[in-house]
Amino acid sequence: MNQDNSPDVIGIGTCTADMLFVVSQPPTYGRSWRASQYLRQGGGPVSTALVTLARLGISTRFIGRAGADPEGVFIREEFQKDGVDVSRFMLEPNVFSRAVLVLVDQTTGERCFTSRRETHTPLSVSDLDRQEIESAKVLHLDDADEASVQAAEWAKAAGVTVTLDGTWHSEELVDLLLPLVDMPIVSEVFAQGWMPDAPPEAVVERLCELGARIAAVTLGEQGCVAQWEGGTFTLPAFPVEVVDTTGAGDAFHGGFIYGVLQDWDAAEIIRFASAVASLNCRQLGGRTGLPTVGEVHQFLAQFPGTDSQ
Amino acid sequence: MNQDNSPDVIGIGTCTADMLFVVSQPPTYGRSWRASQYLRQGGGPVSTALVTLARLGISTRFIGRAGADPEGVFIREEFQKDGVDVSRFMLEPNVFSRAVLVLVDQTTGERCFTSRRETHTPLSVSDLDRQEIESAKVLHLDDADEASVQAAEWAKAAGVTVTLDGTWHSEELVDLLLPLVDMPIVSEVFAQGWMPDAPPEAVVERLCELGARIAAVTLGEQGCVAQWEGGTFTLPAFPVEVVDTTGAGDAFHGGFIYGVLQDWDAAEIIRFASAVASLNCRQLGGRTGLPTVGEVHQFLAQFPGTDSQ
């Protein structure tokens, strides 16, 4: 913790209540099917990255809003269970939080998502406290709403490292947020939406041209491609028995930020992040398989060679 | 209440935690969809019938088991919210309760079910108290497991009215339970499984031959066909704006048992039950739209003519 009880990492972004069902075939109307597994868990890119960091022993705070419905209460409980600071997580009466159904194919691990959207008020600039943002070491974001952009501006001006989980491509994200982000890590979907047909190497190069100190594109089971200070790094995903890839990207971000806080070099950060993401795929749900620091190092010890190019 | 704090109606049967998503198309892998509505609610044929009765002001008790997982705790809370007595509802540690995903098509109202099965110990005969069963006025069942059959035997011998929600056809249900049931009400699916190609009139006739005092087949939006003491009665469903038919059959049973407890004649009982079922279809979920007694009578006052043949 910094002074004044400030957390090392502040997150502003998506929070969801996820309902996961593992099924042998997609549901069809008029029929009844069995699910082999069911799990209810908190989710959302920034939210799960904070939980990842909390499991790794880092102090974190989520600044955001949700409805005071059973899902919002559940999302808060899920944060609290892992010690994420919820003192700035506001639940608003008589509106909905985001509820997400995740169907996971039990053979292929393919997934589909169905979301009931939130109806609560979005976080606004007036909800923010500039000093609070400035006192963090890292600000982690996943959306380009008004509050996120304002927080990123304050953070950048104060030298707080700004990290971004670019899951879905949008013009706002590229135009308003990317110029403020020190370390953008984007999904393949984001990369394809932004620079269609460009290889990931071109995407990270462009991100660095826009000001990124470290940039990466995550490629699922293909691992990731990263660039910093002119160097490029390709790391395949670590071999694990994959049960569910939900939250793998979120966990990657948590591991990444952990490495940033340790002042490791970029290759070491990416390698650690990749291990956290892989370990998280061994169990159902975005948070069930999140490792401790010891577990990550123990896992990495099996792969002593460096994978950098 | 009877003496010794005994409830009027004891239910033994299925209890579930239902997650309902209203969607514009069935989920497909690799895609994200919006759900227009989401609801988490307790469910199960006997369970929702007891909740229906509780809303109608009748004292009820559920005898059963579930896991002490979040779903089991939720199922218990859902009973308690409506005043169903849960003093004999046992939650077992380290096992699962049944979790059910219900997808509802927002245009057609078609539904599909995906269940993660329970792993808790089934209710056994040693969990039962004969005097407790004998002190109820009605015993309501939906399955032919060992405990249900034993409870039905005791109830029949003591003159307690035994009612059955025959949702899915099984040989056990027909062979072991039907002979003990005073008032079986079965679904179209049950009827087709038991007597393929037979019209509902033949099904209720056969149920009466087996000893039923009142028998009925529910036919969804086609209403129901009932028989008693040689008379047959066909009642179309009441016209309502249908949002979701989940729990319509369960609500029918609750309304039916309410009428039985009032000592009404069979036609009046069926008419009341049908109104309760129709009113329950106006809102999402098996329990959201359950009416009070006053609401049912107010609704029925719009349809003064008798529909009996």
Side-chain angles (χ1 to χ4, degrees), chain B residues 39-108:
Chain B
L39 179 69
R40 187 166 178 245
Q41 199 166 61
V46 157
S47 300
T48 295
L50 294 185
V51 170
T52 306
L53 282 158
R55 297 260 178 103
L56 296 170
I58 301 297
S59 61
T60 60
R61 178 180 298 158
F62 182 76
I63 303 179
R65 289 175 171 273
D69 56 347
E71 287 62 50
V73 172
F74 176 71
I75 291 167
R76 184 171 60 187
E77 286 170 358
E78 287 280 280
F79 278 138
Q80 288 174 309
K81 213 169 68 179
D82 279 297
V84 174
D85 179 344
V86 293
S87 59
R88 300 274 283 119
F89 181 45
M90 295 154 271
L91 299 188
E92 188 181 341
N94 306 317
V95 288
F96 292 131
S97 308
R98 193 182 301 189
V100 181
L101 166 65
V102 186
L103 291 172
V104 182
D105 185 278
Q106 67 184 31
T107 309
T108 66

Side-chain angles (χ1 to χ4, degrees), chain A residues 19 21-40 70-71 96 99-101 103-106 108 110-117 168, chain B residues 19 21-40 70-71 96 99-101 103-106 108 110-117 168:
Chain A
M19 268 66 65
F21 284 84
V22 180
V23 295
S24 55
Q25 61 273 299
T28 44
Y29 289 116
R31 294 290 302 270
S32 291
W33 301 105
R34 291 277 175 93
S36 57
Q37 288 186 78
Y38 164 73
L39 181 68
R40 188 167 178 242
E71 286 64 50
F96 291 132
V100 181
L101 167 65
L103 291 173
V104 182
D105 185 278
Q106 69 184 29
T108 66
E110 282 185 290
R111 295 175 304 153
C112 55
F113 296 89
T114 302
S115 290
R116 194 278 317 273
R117 284 303 171 120
W168 304 103
Chain B
M19 269 65 69
F21 284 84
V22 180
V23 296
S24 55
Q25 61 273 298
T28 44
Y29 288 115
R31 293 291 301 272
S32 291
W33 301 106
R34 293 277 175 92
S36 57
Q37 288 186 77
Y38 164 72
L39 179 69
R40 187 166 178 245
E71 287 62 50
F96 292 131
V100 181
L101 166 65
L103 291 172
V104 182
D105 185 278
Q106 67 184 31
T108 66
E110 281 184 291
R111 297 175 303 153
C112 56
F113 297 88
T114 302
S115 289
R116 195 278 317 272
R117 285 303 171 120
W168 305 103

Side-chain angles (χ1 to χ4, degrees), chain A residues 12-194:
Chain A
I12 298 176
T14 311
C15 62
T16 65
D18 292 355
M19 268 66 65
L20 297 102
F21 284 84
V22 180
V23 295
S24 55
Q25 61 273 299
T28 44
Y29 289 116
R31 294 290 302 270
S32 291
W33 301 105
R34 291 277 175 93
S36 57
Q37 288 186 78
Y38 164 73
L39 181 68
R40 188 167 178 242
Q41 199 164 60
V46 158
S47 301
T48 295
L50 294 185
V51 169
T52 306
L53 283 158
R55 297 258 178 105
L56 295 169
I58 302 297
S59 61
T60 60
R61 179 180 297 158
F62 183 75
I63 303 179
R65 289 175 170 273
D69 56 348
E71 286 64 50
V73 171
F74 176 71
I75 291 167
R76 184 171 61 187
E77 285 170 357
E78 287 280 281
F79 278 137
Q80 288 174 310
K81 212 169 70 179
D82 279 297
V84 174
D85 179 344
V86 292
S87 59
R88 300 273 283 117
F89 181 44
M90 295 154 271
L91 300 188
E92 187 182 342
N94 305 318
V95 289
F96 291 132
S97 308
R98 194 182 300 190
V100 181
L101 167 65
V102 186
L103 291 173
V104 182
D105 185 278
Q106 69 184 29
T107 310
T108 66
E110 282 185 290
R111 295 175 304 153
C112 55
F113 296 89
T114 302
S115 290
R116 194 278 317 273
R117 284 303 171 120
E118 64 275 18
T119 58
H120 61 77
T121 314
L123 195 71
S124 77
V125 170
S126 64
D127 291 318
L128 299 179
D129 173 344
R130 182 164 186 164
Q131 285 197 318
E132 181 182 29
I133 302 295
E134 290 175 343
S135 66
K137 293 178 180 165
V138 174
L139 173 68
H140 187 45
L141 306 169
D142 65 16
D143 196 9
D145 56 54
E146 195 190 41
S148 297
V149 172
Q150 177 62 81
E153 280 172 5
W154 289 336
K156 187 161 184 81
V160 175
T161 300
V162 180
T163 55
L164 171 70
D165 185 340
T167 304
W168 304 103
H169 169 256
S170 75
E171 283 184 25
E172 291 74 21
L173 211 60
V174 171
D175 296 344
L176 303 177
L177 208 49
L178 268 190
L180 302 167
V181 175
D182 298 294
M183 300 178 184
I185 300 171
V186 304
S187 71
E188 213 172 351
V189 171
F190 178 100
Q192 286 171 353
W194 184 36

Side-chain angles (χ1 to χ4, degrees), chain B residues 122-257:
Chain B
L123 194 72
S124 76
V125 170
S126 63
D127 291 318
L128 299 178
D129 173 344
R130 181 166 186 163
Q131 283 196 318
E132 182 182 27
I133 303 295
E134 290 176 341
S135 66
K137 292 178 181 165
V138 174
L139 173 69
H140 187 46
L141 305 169
D142 65 16
D143 197 8
D145 56 53
E146 195 190 41
S148 296
V149 172
Q150 178 62 81
E153 279 173 5
W154 289 336
K156 188 162 183 79
V160 175
T161 300
V162 180
T163 57
L164 171 71
D165 184 341
T167 304
W168 305 103
H169 169 256
S170 75
E171 282 183 27
E172 291 75 22
L173 212 60
V174 171
D175 295 344
L176 302 178
L177 207 49
L178 269 190
L180 302 167
V181 175
D182 298 294
M183 300 179 184
I185 300 172
V186 304
S187 73
E188 213 173 350
V189 171
F190 178 100
Q192 287 171 352
W194 185 36
M195 296 173 62
D197 304 322
E201 290 76 7
V203 175
V204 291
E205 190 177 343
R206 178 83 189 112
L207 288 168
C208 286
E209 283 167 10
L210 287 172
R213 281 154 50 201
I214 307 179
V217 177
T218 56
L219 303 165
E221 58 191 19
Q222 265 80 54
C224 70
V225 172
Q227 181 175 328
W228 69 95
E229 293 166 11
T232 304
F233 180 93
T234 302
L235 184 71
F238 289 102
V240 291
E241 186 100 357
V242 172
V243 170
D244 175 21
T245 59
T246 303
D250 315 340
F252 187 98
H253 283 82
F256 181 91
I257 294 168

